[in-house]
Amino acid sequence: MNTKTTDRIATGVFYGIALLIVIVLFGLLGYILLHGFERINLQFITSPPQKMRAGGGVGPQLFNSLYLLVLTMLITIPLGLGGGIYLAEYAPKNRLTELIRLSIEVLSSLPSIVVGLFGLMLFVNWMGWGYSILSGAFALTVFNLPLMVRVVEESLRSVPREQKEASLALGITHWATIRKVLLPVALPGILTGTILAAGRIFGEAAALLFTAGMTTPRLNFADWNPLHPTSPLNPFRPAETLAVHIWKINSEGLIPDVREVADGASAILVLTVLLFNLLARWFGGWLYRRLTAQ
């Protein structure tokens, strides 16, 4: 077999793999949206779920998912940026640095159920936060932090070395070079890592069963004082997310329309992730153009 034939076969194989991925992705999305789209309406999105009767919605669960996303990213992004910048720009090449990288890789491979049990022991019981949004946010931070650190480190290392050396040669300090040269150029890679981490937050259920809980108290959406027990912004209240709600009603739901509610909640979850990805990429592109003047 000559090299041209081998090249054609390899090209065909890669095109076939890409086509297979697209078919599976659109098939899965089409199945979820086709079965759940009929259930989606304003009442379903805004009303609370029913325990015994048909006709409930997923309003509190949708809010909990978005609120948990915001809290988790507020904790994860600064820590991930700090860890990634340290490993890329300040960490010396020695055994301690290699041990840190090995620990990050081990931490990233932990099953989510193990992270959930760790969060139950540390945040729920030892810290005394109980089943709450804050416990879930810190557990998901443990889950996502290795990904953010490695993404930030690799994104900074991918910046052309000439740009960094040119900045230092002009007398600009190391920190100013990182802030004004390296981070803006590395922003697309960092944004991709942020989107991946956010997607894991939307879809995570096992770690939240033991930390954020499987219930949501009656919420008063007119009360935005985070210290009140019925306030939606109270970080110390239990918070059932959309992913946990889908799992719960499929495993132990007693409502007669459990199938329709699960389909509708799944469709809303998929649409929420798609909308978040589009908005995050638009914002990242806008911020990249502003920071790099491109």
Side-chain angles (χ1 to χ4, degrees):
M1 186 178 298
N2 58 37
T3 55
K4 289 186 177 180
T5 303
T6 305
D7 180 69
R8 292 193 188 96
I9 293 175
T11 303
V13 169
F14 290 131
Y15 272 105
I17 293 174
L19 182 62
L20 178 63
I21 293 173
V22 171
I23 291 174
V24 171
L25 175 63
F26 278 90
L28 181 61
L29 291 178
Y31 178 85
I32 294 174
L33 294 177
L34 183 65
H35 285 78
F37 196 74
E38 294 181 355
R39 182 75 182 194
I40 299 177
N41 52 49
L42 185 60
Q43 181 185 1
F44 184 72
I45 294 175
T46 58
S47 61
Q50 295 288 344
K51 295 182 179 179
M52 301 297 291
R53 295 182 300 177
V58 293
Q61 285 72 25
L62 178 60
F63 177 82
N64 292 337
S65 297
L66 297 174
Y67 189 31
L68 186 66
L69 169 71
V70 172
L71 282 183
T72 304
M73 298 313 290
L74 285 177
I75 303 169
T76 302
I77 292 178
L79 293 177
L81 281 173
I85 291 173
Y86 169 76
L87 289 177
E89 294 297 320
Y90 293 99
K93 294 182 179 179
N94 54 31
R95 291 185 178 180
L96 177 61
T97 305
E98 294 303 319
L99 180 62
I100 292 174
R101 288 197 174 91
L102 178 62
S103 301
I104 291 173
E105 291 173 0
V106 172
L107 192 61
S108 65
S109 62
L110 286 178
S112 58
I113 192 71
V114 175
V115 177
L117 291 173
F118 172 76
L120 174 67
M121 179 186 67
L122 180 62
F123 305 123
V124 176
N125 294 329
W126 192 70
M127 300 291 288
W129 295 341
Y131 293 104
S132 62
I133 297 179
L134 197 61
S135 298
F138 273 95
L140 291 180
T141 298
V142 175
F143 196 60
N144 282 329
L145 194 56
L147 171 67
M148 280 299 299
V149 171
R150 293 311 300 265
V151 165
V152 172
E153 181 188 4
E154 295 302 324
S155 299
L156 290 175
R157 289 186 182 280
S158 67
V159 177
R161 188 177 181 85
E162 292 77 9
Q163 288 187 322
K164 177 183 175 181
E165 293 176 346
S167 177
L168 295 175
L170 292 174
I172 301 175
T173 62
H174 192 187
W175 168 238
T177 299
I178 293 172
R179 186 164 54 89
K180 296 183 178 180
V181 177
L182 299 185
L183 283 177
V185 178
L187 184 62
I190 297 174
L191 178 66
T192 301
T194 304
I195 292 174
L196 289 175
R200 296 174 74 178
I201 295 171
F202 277 120
E204 181 54 43
L208 295 177
L209 296 176
F210 300 100
T211 52
M214 294 188 292
T215 60
T216 298
R218 183 176 295 276
L219 300 178
N220 179 11
F221 282 92
D223 182 6
W224 296 101
N225 187 341
L227 301 178
H228 289 177
T230 58
S231 171
L233 296 183
N234 187 350
F236 294 101
R237 64 171 177 82
E240 181 190 31
T241 63
L242 267 179
V244 174
H245 184 64
I246 294 169
W247 173 84
K248 190 176 76 172
I249 61 175
N250 274 298
S251 60
E252 56 188 43
L254 299 177
I255 53 178
D257 58 344
V258 59
R259 183 73 263 166
E260 289 79 5
V261 172
D263 290 341
S266 301
I268 290 179
L269 183 59
V270 169
L271 291 174
T272 304
V273 173
L274 289 175
L275 183 61
F276 174 82
N277 286 355
L278 293 175
L279 290 177
R281 291 191 180 280
W282 171 82
F283 177 74
W286 174 82
L287 187 62
Y288 179 75
R289 289 191 296 273
R290 289 293 299 269
L291 293 176
T292 59
Q294 292 188 10

